[in-house]
Amino acid sequence: MAHIEDSFKAALYRITCPDSATLGNYFLGFLPDEAAVSIQDHLAICPLCTEEIAQLEAFLVETAVSPQPSTAERIKIWIAKRIPTGGQSRGGLGTPAFAIRGDDTGPLMYEAGDAQLSLEVQDDPEHPGRKAILGLVLGIETASVMVQLFFKEGEVGTAVSLDDLGNFTFTGLEAGKYELTLTGLDIEIQVQDLFI
Ligand SMILES: [Zn+2]
């Protein structure tokens, strides 16, 4: 009985819960004060979101660059280089699994150290006039990778985590110039001057 009550409670909580991206933004201090306060209020009553924040925190502690990297290897920073995409890609990197539309431009392809990155920019069906980015990264450990997107003109950012297969999605984006950063346990990949 207690179990049933628990899962019922869980379902109830989740209806009013902010999504993971919003929680991530809250945690990183990206939200405007007003929005942050409402998340704070929600956290006070929601064990599930509190747990999610705790996981984010644990992740950041794990990935934090120590001020004295004595023996630990420094984090590798890779600047992504755009690869021209005419026809097939030599690296064998496919398009994201969910990119099934017959788009004529195709994804933007990047090489960054050992990693290959594909970014597909498209219209966001849920937000008219806005854009969405469907991304896929291969060649790195996908666990505990956070993807951050900074809108250069507005100096605002948003963050999502990478799924097990290396996929990530940003939606509701204004057109303009962005910078994308993938941060893992020992790597950071930067895509500078991303125009969408
Ligand atoms: Zn919640």
Side-chain angles (χ1 to χ4, degrees), residues 1-60:
M1 186 61 201
H3 176 73
I4 293 170
E5 262 173 30
D6 280 353
S7 43
F8 179 64
K9 221 185 272 173
L12 261 188
Y13 279 128
R14 281 285 131 163
I15 291 170
T16 53
C17 284
D19 60 31
S20 298
T22 307
L23 280 178
N25 288 339
Y26 165 80
F27 181 71
L28 293 167
F30 286 151
L31 288 185
D33 289 349
E34 218 174 293
V37 166
S38 85
I39 300 282
Q40 219 168 315
D41 291 347
H42 178 80
L43 284 173
I45 55 152
C46 179
L48 297 166
C49 288
T50 305
E51 169 71 21
E52 212 166 320
I53 291 282
Q55 281 168 6
L56 275 175
E57 202 162 6
F59 165 76
L60 281 204

Side-chain angles (χ1 to χ4, degrees), residues 1 11 29 32 57-58 68 71 97 122 125 128 195:
M1 186 61 201
E57 202 162 6
Q68 300 112 330
T71 53
Q122 55 178 243
F195 291 92

